[in-house]
Amino acid sequence: TRPLDVNSDNNWLLAYRQFAGPGATHGQIGAAYSINGQDFQVQYNLNTSWDGTYGPGSYPNAVATSDIPYAFWTEYANQGSGFGGRPYYSYDEFGWDGHSWLYHIDVDPFYNVEKDLSTGSVAHGLDASSGYYYVSAVYDDWVRGGSYLFTSEPVVAGHINFTEENLIVNPEHLGTNGYSSSSALSMNDNGQGVLGLIGILDGVDMEAGTCNPPASNTTCNQTP
């Protein structure tokens, strides 16, 4: 995850899980943000529902554009397959130091109960020619396997409209399930990105202690 982000204007943003007290759900999502990196404002309970309840939020990510701070996280809806992991985001509609974070919004416009999106990594870049930001988010799916990338339309007035879902790390290219890390995403202002993970290649069976092609043609070890 990317729980800390600092932009070129020295705006700082941290997104994190909060302890809610004994016997409560220790997955309330909080955000601390600052316009100078020294004096922080804190926003509590970003994942509170309209009825005042909240699900267990995990894997927070922070996105600090020059205009608006964003917090991303995953909630376990316990719907359908697996844990029913469902990614959300919220942002301050009045920008930095605005004290007006919105009710959380779905990242995945195609969400259904056959998914279990868990660990996420979110990054953004600025299109200098148009002046618009774009946001990319990659999530591991614990039911379908692999990692899925969501990309946005140009961000207008704060709202992020994610438009597509692409399989970007195919589980068929990896060896024994459970021996590869989550995917980490980084983007620059030119829209160029790097996606990284530590994994094992197809053909390696860590539990059986065997290594066959195509992995044996390159490496039988865990590798970046």
Side-chain angles (χ1 to χ4, degrees):
T1 61
R2 299 168 57 88
L4 168 65
D5 199 13
V6 183
N7 65 27
S8 58
D9 297 324
N10 200 34
N11 300 138
W12 287 61
L13 174 65
L14 297 90
Y16 49 86
R17 299 181 71 189
Q18 295 175 275
F19 177 70
T25 300
H26 306 148
Q28 296 183 52
I29 300 298
Y33 55 126
S34 169
I35 59 175
N36 57 17
Q38 298 179 1
D39 303 308
F40 283 84
Q41 303 292 331
V42 176
Q43 180 70 35
Y44 300 100
N45 307 336
L46 294 179
N47 56 329
T48 302
S49 301
W50 292 120
D51 61 0
T53 62
Y54 41 83
S58 299
Y59 307 118
N61 283 266
V63 169
T65 72
S66 62
D67 304 316
I68 291 175
Y70 296 87
F72 289 76
W73 67 92
T74 299
E75 288 189 26
Y76 293 124
N78 292 318
Q79 300 172 345
S81 302
F83 295 102
R86 187 169 185 170
Y88 293 101
Y89 75 94
S90 178
Y91 64 95
D92 193 320
E93 61 181 330
F94 297 140
W96 292 93
D97 213 22
H99 306 283
S100 183
W101 288 72
L102 295 180
Y103 182 74
H104 53 264
I105 304 164
D106 269 301
V107 170
D108 181 5
F110 318 103
Y111 181 80
N112 61 62
V113 296
E114 300 306 317
K115 300 180 179 182
D116 187 7
L117 300 173
S118 60
T119 313
S121 185
V122 186
H124 73 286
L126 174 69
D127 182 350
S129 61
S130 68
Y132 289 113
Y133 284 101
Y134 291 80
V135 180
S136 296
V138 61
Y139 289 91
D140 295 341
D141 192 310
W142 288 359
V143 168
R144 294 176 295 171
S147 300
Y148 291 81
L149 175 69
F150 298 87
T151 54
S152 79
E153 294 179 348
V155 178
V156 178
H159 184 81
I160 304 171
N161 184 26
F162 290 96
T163 60
E164 58 185 341
E165 176 190 67
N166 291 307
L167 178 64
I168 196 168
V169 176
N170 193 326
E172 295 180 1
H173 299 162
L174 300 176
T176 314
N177 185 41
Y179 285 84
S180 297
S181 74
S182 299
S183 302
L185 178 66
S186 183
M187 304 290 295
N188 67 18
D189 284 349
N190 294 322
Q192 298 163 320
V194 174
L195 181 79
L197 72 153
I198 303 295
I200 54 174
L201 302 179
D202 183 31
V204 178
D205 188 329
M206 299 290 284
E207 295 171 356
T210 57
C211 179
N212 300 302
S216 57
N217 299 330
T218 306
T219 176
C220 296
N221 299 315
Q222 290 181 309
T223 183

